[in-house]
Amino acid sequence: METNTSTNANRLFYGSCFALITTAFSFAIAAGILDQLKIELGLTASQAGIATSMWFLGFPISMVIGGLIYHKVGGKVIMQFAFFAHAIGILMLIFSGSYVGLLIANLLIGLGNGCTEAACNPMIADAYEGNKMSKMLNRFHMWFPGGIAIGSLLSGFMTDNLEILGRNQVWLLLIPTFIYAYLFFGQSWPRAKVQEAATLTGNVKAMITPLFLFIAVCMSLTAISEFGPNQWVSLILSKSGAHPMIILALTAGLMAVARYFGGDMVAKFDQTGVLLGSAVLATIGVYLFSTQTGAMAYVAAIIFALGIAYFWPNMIGLVATKVPKSGALGMSIIGAVGMFANTIFQPIIGGWIDADRAVAEANGLTGDELELVSGQATLGTMVLFPGILIILFTILYFWLKNRKSDDAVPAAAH
């Protein structure tokens, strides 16, 4: 695109939002119908787990490849592939009655989801300047929790009220898929703002720096602070008298609202200030999850949601503004580091739960009390993740404050 006309940038932005809603719907509905698919296809729990992991596997693969080729082929081509992967994956999920078909469908949907991140993050970074860019990145990323909240409610409504079950719910995914395809159709994409960002050599050079590597370590901890407790909280808190679906909807809904106002927060406290405050709130939230029961679990969910809301979009934004020469590849690699950290840590967290359950059993606990006590003990250990981030983001805050501003994109540019 020769000039960044606001109409074009806005149309591309709305297309990006619908592409991310497709990702969120695939996450929410896949989770909602997993039990039904197990019965329908006669799968074991382990096979269902492998099918779900295909969704997670496709994501970082296409993010990294998309980041590598972004400035070679352009975001438009990456999103054309995303549409192809989404559409074929969704149709396979609906019509394929086999386990292998389910694996391929989930992998294709995961590849489409990763392409969305690989193409849309750098497009937003190139289309908008300064604080407007932070605001739009936060508003783009609000549609992941927002889409999960809407998708979960729609999936629940179709199951409970309309008796639309299993693969029949997957048709819903085609709606945002065709909307984003229409919005992207015929649009030209913005060029890289920083010349070095458009070259692979420039990207790699910028990434082999202490600052980028430090941000990558922080990203792995922010991702596991967000997704780690989220995966287990519903399971654990259901034994404490709190309703897991309300906890999930509350967390996702609050994250979406917080991200809507993300640009204002960054304008006031800068990205590092926002990330430091987020780490403090996330630590308090996880600590409360590990100690409270009943109504207090909802208070914990509110604090936790406000803590983790700004992690993902502002880590991507941090790379775009503070390491601009890393370009599309830098943003994709940071996102992939977050996803990969979850792949590594989820089984470790599972091991902690098993160990804590063994201790609780040795102390004579059974039933719901056993689940609650062992689960809360594991959440107590998970406080470490956001706790370490408080220290790391404090270091980053002073590091960037004292750093020469000439290698960063000016924050005040509009």
Side-chain angles (χ1 to χ4, degrees):
M1 173 170 122
E2 299 307 318
T3 55
N4 283 347
T5 66
S6 62
T7 317
N8 179 261
N10 287 342
R11 180 165 172 157
L12 287 172
F13 176 75
Y14 294 134
S16 302
C17 292
F18 277 102
L20 197 58
I21 288 169
T22 306
T23 297
F25 273 19
S26 76
F27 187 80
I29 288 172
I33 66 167
L34 193 60
D35 269 350
Q36 294 158 21
L37 277 179
K38 262 173 70 181
I39 297 160
E40 227 176 278
L41 301 176
L43 306 179
T44 64
S46 148
Q47 285 176 317
I50 293 167
T52 307
S53 73
M54 286 293 115
W55 189 95
F56 282 102
L57 179 67
F59 210 107
I61 290 173
S62 56
M63 271 185 86
V64 173
I65 294 172
L68 283 167
I69 62 172
Y70 182 85
H71 288 299
K72 219 22 135 199
V73 303
K76 185 193 276 192
V77 172
I78 295 170
M79 283 315 296
Q80 283 168 347
F81 177 78
F83 173 71
F84 166 80
H86 274 144
I88 302 291
I90 291 163
L91 291 170
M92 277 189 74
L93 199 53
I94 296 165
F95 293 112
S96 165
S98 73
Y99 176 55
V100 174
L102 178 64
L103 292 178
I104 297 168
N106 273 1
L107 181 64
L108 281 169
I109 292 169
L111 289 170
N113 296 341
C115 284
T116 297
E117 286 267 339
C120 299
N121 283 321
M123 182 279 291
I124 293 165
D126 289 335
Y128 300 99
E129 298 281 345
N131 193 57
K132 181 79 185 279
M133 183 201 73
S134 289
K135 176 175 145 183
M136 299 314 266
L137 267 177
N138 273 283
R139 288 195 179 175
F140 166 56
H141 282 281
M142 76 179 249
W143 287 109
F144 188 65
I148 286 174
I150 296 165
S152 303
L153 292 172
L154 286 172
S155 179
F157 180 75
M158 287 190 287
T159 301
D160 300 336
N161 300 78
L162 304 176
E163 291 184 6
I164 298 172
L165 302 173
R167 284 174 292 164
N168 290 329
Q169 291 192 8
V170 180
W171 284 105
L172 191 68
L173 267 67
L174 288 172
I175 297 169
T177 304
F178 280 106
I179 293 173
Y180 85 68
Y182 167 74
L183 288 168
F184 282 135
F185 186 74
Q187 298 301 298
S188 47
W189 286 53
R191 294 186 174 184
K193 280 192 291 216
V194 183
Q195 203 42 52
E196 291 94 324
T199 68
L200 201 54
T201 321
N203 295 165
V204 174
K205 254 188 202 165
M207 282 159 51
I208 311 170
T209 55
L211 180 59
F212 186 87
L213 296 171
F214 189 87
I215 292 172
V217 171
C218 293
M219 183 63 174
S220 63
L221 288 165
T222 57
I224 198 62
S225 295
E226 177 178 341
F227 290 104
N230 256 343
Q231 291 278 347
W232 302 98
V233 148
S234 300
L235 193 76
I236 292 159
L237 294 182
S238 61
K239 311 298 179 190
S240 77
H243 194 289
M245 276 313 287
I246 294 176
I247 294 276
L248 181 70
L250 187 64
T251 307
L254 266 174
M255 283 175 73
V257 172
R259 284 179 181 181
Y260 182 82
F261 297 105
D264 302 332
M265 298 298 287
V266 171
K268 208 167 186 174
F269 303 108
D270 192 54
Q271 281 153 335
T272 44
V274 168
L275 288 165
L276 178 56
S278 296
V280 172
L281 286 175
T283 306
I284 295 168
V286 180
Y287 174 74
L288 288 175
F289 275 146
S290 74
T291 54
Q292 304 300 310
T293 55
M296 271 304 288
Y298 300 114
V299 176
I302 292 167
I303 296 169
F304 176 67
L306 294 174
I308 61 172
Y310 296 127
F311 277 160
W312 195 278
N314 288 299
M315 290 304 291
I316 304 277
L318 195 66
V319 171
T321 54
K322 309 298 194 245
V323 198
K325 292 175 186 177
S326 67
L329 183 61
M331 283 180 265
S332 287
I333 292 290
I334 280 295
V337 163
M339 277 292 170
F340 188 63
N342 273 294
T343 314
I344 292 169
F345 273 108
Q346 287 299 348
I348 293 171
I349 293 168
W352 290 347
I353 286 187
D354 289 340
D356 288 329
R357 184 182 279 120
V359 171
E361 275 176 336
N363 290 334
L365 299 179
T366 54
D368 284 358
E369 199 184 2
L370 169 67
E371 297 299 323
L372 179 63
V373 169
S374 58
Q376 287 200 323
T378 305
L379 282 167
T381 311
M382 280 195 237
V383 173
L384 274 172
F385 296 125
I388 294 167
L389 280 170
I390 295 174
I391 300 162
L392 295 182
F393 284 141
T394 303
I395 293 167
L396 191 64
Y397 180 80
F398 289 107
W399 183 351
L400 291 175
K401 210 175 178 185
N402 299 326
R403 181 173 170 250
K404 288 187 186 125
S405 56
D406 45 68
D407 21 50
V409 170
H414 278 278

